Amino acid sequence: MPLADRGVPPFEADLAAAAAGAALDAVAREWLRTDGSADRLALVDRAFTMLRPAFLT
């Protein structure tokens, strides 16, 4: 179901998608910085935990 059908304005949907993409990019960069030793799942959890308050208002 498109986000617009859930009452999410297009601007907010675009912002959320961009934030999610940036979070995943940051996770990949951190994982590479650690030569693959970092726990990617923990990094993803940390990234989205940081973003969550911005989208749950």
Side-chain angles (χ1 to χ4, degrees), residues 5-43:
D5 293 347
R6 297 179 188 186
V8 177
F11 173 77
E12 292 178 19
D14 289 346
L15 183 59
L24 293 173
D25 184 53
V27 166
R29 283 185 278 123
E30 181 63 18
W31 185 75
L32 289 171
R33 255 193 298 273
T34 65
D35 293 323
S37 66
D39 181 344
R40 285 181 287 178
L41 184 56
L43 290 171

Side-chain angles (χ1 to χ4, degrees), residues 3-4 8-10 17-18 23 26 31 40 47 50 54 56-57:
L3 289 176
V8 177
W31 185 75
R40 285 181 287 178
M50 292 176 69
L56 293 179
T57 59

